[in-house]
Amino acid sequence: MSKCEQCIIRQFNSLKTLRKDDLIRLSGCKTTKTVNKGEIIFDEGENINGVYCIKDGVCKLSKLSANGKDQILKLVVKGDLLGQRSLISDEPTNLRAVAVNDMEVCFIPKQEIIYDLKNNIDFSMDMLKDMAEDLRTADNVIVDMAQKSVKQRMAETLLYLYDNFGTDEKGSLNIVLSREDYANIVGTATESAIRILSQFKKEGLISTEGKYITLEDVEALKRVE
Amino acid sequence: MSKCEQCIIRQFNSLKTLRKDDLIRLSGCKTTKTVNKGEIIFDEGENINGVYCIKDGVCKLSKLSANGKDQILKLVVKGDLLGQRSLISDEPTNLRAVAVNDMEVCFIPKQEIIYDLKNNIDFSMDMLKDMAEDLRTADNVIVDMAQKSVKQRMAETLLYLYDNFGTDEKGSLNIVLSREDYANIVGTATESAIRILSQFKKEGLISTEGKYITLEDVEALKRVE
DNA sequence: CGTAAAACATGACATATATCATATTTATTA
DNA sequence: TAATAAATATGATATATGTCATGTTTTACG
């Protein structure tokens, strides 16, 4: 089994603040597993009882709305932690986590994380910083949802994916989502998402090949109204 | 000057976890001030350099969107802390705070709060819990913004105010907001907010007398679609 | 490989909401 | 108290977006 103290992934999250002996302790009780694309890691209302450290892959965090549509709230990527919030608030999670592609994750039991939170002030301060950052992002999303058009939000989503996932050698986005996923990020009907992507394509802002999307005119996307 | 260790307000926020000697220390460096209705406590981009403890009154936290509209993200009330997030992330605040009515607040300098965060694990854990709770709320708001109609959001706003501020002897909401404020909470045009409130009035869901609003049929408001 | 299912695409139409215009009422202040 | 500004109200209209229908393409899988 791989060892936390030798894992470079932890450099990207709060676990970087832990010292060697703590990491060795975590190594001893963590479990590693693979999650296939489309698999549910946890569902709304479940007790997670721990934290996932994402070694590879991407998953989407979503929440079901009253009308039956799933709103995607966050994409969690390699290097991120998953499940800290419900661990801290000691409540069942309010979100569903589904693998967007094949993933490799480590699961660290709740009591271990709690131990470190209570005994390592650097760890809890770093966690606080992460949450403050998440809250700031959430504020921005709320303002966008409330005040921007669907078309603007779609353009921003494409730019976000471009900035955070980059492109492959052909120039297409390094993350592949369904049109329904796009709709559920933007907060619109799937047909509307498809329509807007088609329109962007006609206008030369993007090109598509099946699910693969290439941003052809980043500056124009920034100017979409 | 009043003393933190005798102030009952702190029972409602994370300061409740502090011990007597810490509270006495805070008492020595805090400043108390009154803020008049409409006054800006801090503005987007400012360095706050501390935390406000709300002794009395209500203020609105808002963020200006690109199109020039102000989105209200949270109402901060008596007993709440204000400004923790930018203190923790050590960045200028992303929000504006404006008094909704006359307020009395205590200001505690940044280094004092940081000291307690680093030296009192109960305090930082409580702060973490608060933030986790705020994040959960933000998730719900995002889903509502993305998936619910303006009418539903207005109904929910009224119910939120009803639950959190209660009513006076005449039955009208204990918090008085302008129609523009309602629009900026719901995320709609001021005219639309006015129109929907008028419609609710015609349908007997609420009654109004100037800025005073009374919920006449709470159950019907819950069923608004 | 062929068939079924899922995803994608697009038209037609309904409707919620924004915008602009213009009263009317209420609050502010000279 | 009068004058002015701000807030509230409501109509008319434009537009963005959702919904329903239908067809096509892609994917999954027996």
Side-chain angles (χ1 to χ4, degrees):
Chain A
M1 191 194 291
S2 61
K3 294 173 179 172
C4 293
E5 64 273 25
Q6 291 167 2
C7 176
I8 61 163
I9 283 297
R10 70 164 203 282
Q11 293 306 326
F12 298 102
N13 61 48
S14 300
L15 297 176
K16 67 174 172 293
T17 61
L18 297 189
R19 283 172 298 265
K20 194 164 184 185
D21 51 338
D22 288 319
L23 290 167
I24 291 171
R25 196 189 80 247
L26 288 191
S27 253
C29 57
K30 79 164 200 297
T31 53
T32 302
K33 60 174 163 178
T34 59
V35 182
N36 295 322
K37 178 181 173 178
E39 241 180 88
I40 296 178
I41 303 173
F42 53 76
D43 209 344
E44 282 184 60
E46 279 183 22
N47 284 300
I48 311 187
N49 289 319
V51 158
Y52 295 87
C53 179
I54 313 294
K55 283 180 80 176
D56 201 20
V58 180
C59 80
K60 54 187 178 184
L61 290 183
S62 69
K63 186 166 159 47
L64 214 57
S65 77
N67 65 22
K69 296 205 64 172
D70 225 30
Q71 179 66 37
I72 295 177
L73 292 156
K74 191 177 182 180
L75 294 174
V76 176
V77 306
K78 181 165 142 175
D80 286 345
L81 291 181
L82 178 61
Q84 324 88 299
R85 277 157 50 190
S86 64
L87 181 142
I88 287 163
S89 61
D90 202 25
E91 284 179 9
T93 178
N94 59 326
L95 302 176
R96 162 189 284 192
V98 175
V100 167
N101 43 40
D102 292 344
M103 303 178 73
E104 202 172 337
V105 302
C106 290
F107 180 80
I108 304 165
K110 181 170 181 164
Q111 63 269 25
E112 302 302 322
I113 296 292
I114 295 278
Y115 175 88
D116 287 309
L117 278 174
K118 294 204 170 162
N119 290 283
N120 185 329
I121 198 71
D122 292 332
F123 184 55
S124 48
M125 283 301 283
D126 203 80
M127 203 73 108
L128 266 173
K129 276 196 180 145
D130 273 4
M131 290 212 168
E133 178 60 30
D134 277 354
L135 272 169
R136 177 184 292 255
T137 304
D139 287 345
N140 290 331
V141 172
I142 291 171
V143 173
D144 284 356
M145 285 290 176
Q147 311 275 1
K148 292 191 176 166
S149 69
V150 171
K151 211 186 290 181
Q152 277 179 298
R153 270 141 55 197
M154 180 63 83
E156 285 183 7
T157 298
L158 290 168
L159 291 166
Y160 171 83
L161 298 176
Y162 183 78
D163 289 338
N164 288 275
F165 293 89
T167 56
D168 63 18
E169 63 287 349
K170 287 180 183 167
S172 63
L173 289 176
N174 261 334
I175 181 171
V176 175
L177 299 170
S178 68
R179 303 294 195 263
E180 190 180 11
D181 284 334
Y182 276 100
N184 293 347
I185 292 171
V186 167
T188 188
T190 304
E191 297 96 319
S192 297
I194 291 171
R195 232 180 278 271
I196 287 169
L197 288 173
S198 296
Q199 192 192 335
F200 284 174
K201 198 174 169 179
K202 268 186 205 135
E203 294 169 356
L205 306 188
I206 63 171
S207 61
T208 66
E209 214 182 304
K211 287 195 193 318
Y212 295 90
I213 295 181
T214 303
L215 307 209
E216 297 290 348
D217 192 341
V218 169
E219 292 309 313
L221 277 170
K222 288 180 186 167
R223 290 194 303 269
V224 164
E225 294 205 338
Chain B
M1 192 195 291
S2 60
K3 295 173 179 172
C4 293
E5 65 273 24
Q6 291 168 1
C7 176
I8 61 163
I9 284 296
R10 72 164 203 283
Q11 293 307 326
F12 298 102
N13 61 47
S14 300
L15 297 176
K16 66 175 172 291
T17 62
L18 298 189
R19 281 172 298 265
K20 192 163 184 185
D21 50 339
D22 289 318
L23 290 167
I24 291 171
R25 196 189 78 248
L26 288 190
S27 253
C29 57
K30 80 166 199 299
T31 53
T32 302
K33 59 174 162 177
T34 59
V35 182
N36 295 321
K37 178 181 172 177
E39 242 181 87
I40 297 179
I41 302 174
F42 54 76
D43 209 343
E44 282 185 59
E46 279 183 20
N47 284 301
I48 312 187
N49 289 321
V51 157
Y52 295 86
C53 179
I54 313 294
K55 285 181 78 176
D56 201 20
V58 179
C59 80
K60 53 186 178 185
L61 290 182
S62 69
K63 185 166 160 47
L64 213 59
S65 77
N67 66 21
K69 296 205 63 171
D70 225 29
Q71 179 67 37
I72 296 177
L73 292 155
K74 190 178 181 180
L75 294 174
V76 176
V77 306
K78 181 167 143 176
D80 286 345
L81 292 181
L82 177 61
Q84 324 89 299
R85 277 158 49 190
S86 64
L87 180 143
I88 286 162
S89 61
D90 202 27
E91 285 178 9
T93 178
N94 59 327
L95 302 176
R96 163 189 283 192
V98 175
V100 167
N101 42 41
D102 293 343
M103 303 178 73
E104 202 172 337
V105 303
C106 290
F107 179 80
I108 304 165
K110 181 169 181 164
Q111 62 268 26
E112 302 302 324
I113 296 293
I114 295 280
Y115 175 88
D116 286 310
L117 278 175
K118 294 206 169 161
N119 291 283
N120 184 330
I121 198 71
D122 292 332
F123 185 54
S124 48
M125 283 299 284
D126 204 79
M127 204 71 109
L128 266 173
K129 276 196 180 145
D130 273 4
M131 290 208 163
E133 178 59 30
D134 277 354
L135 272 169
R136 178 185 290 255
T137 304
D139 287 345
N140 290 331
V141 172
I142 291 171
V143 174
D144 284 357
M145 285 290 176
Q147 311 275 1
K148 292 190 177 167
S149 69
V150 171
K151 211 186 290 182
Q152 277 179 299
R153 271 140 54 199
M154 180 63 83
E156 284 183 9
T157 298
L158 291 167
L159 290 166
Y160 171 83
L161 298 176
Y162 183 78
D163 289 339
N164 287 276
F165 294 89
T167 57
D168 63 18
E169 63 286 350
K170 288 180 182 169
S172 62
L173 289 176
N174 261 334
I175 181 170
V176 174
L177 299 170
S178 68
R179 302 294 195 263
E180 190 180 12
D181 283 335
Y182 277 100
N184 293 346
I185 293 172
V186 168
T188 189
T190 305
E191 297 96 318
S192 296
I194 290 171
R195 232 181 276 272
I196 286 168
L197 287 174
S198 296
Q199 192 191 336
F200 283 174
K201 198 173 168 180
K202 267 186 206 135
E203 294 169 354
L205 306 189
I206 64 171
S207 62
T208 67
E209 215 181 303
K211 286 197 194 320
Y212 296 90
I213 295 181
T214 304
L215 307 207
E216 298 290 349
D217 192 341
V218 168
E219 291 310 312
L221 278 169
K222 289 180 186 167
R223 290 192 305 267
V224 163
E225 294 204 337

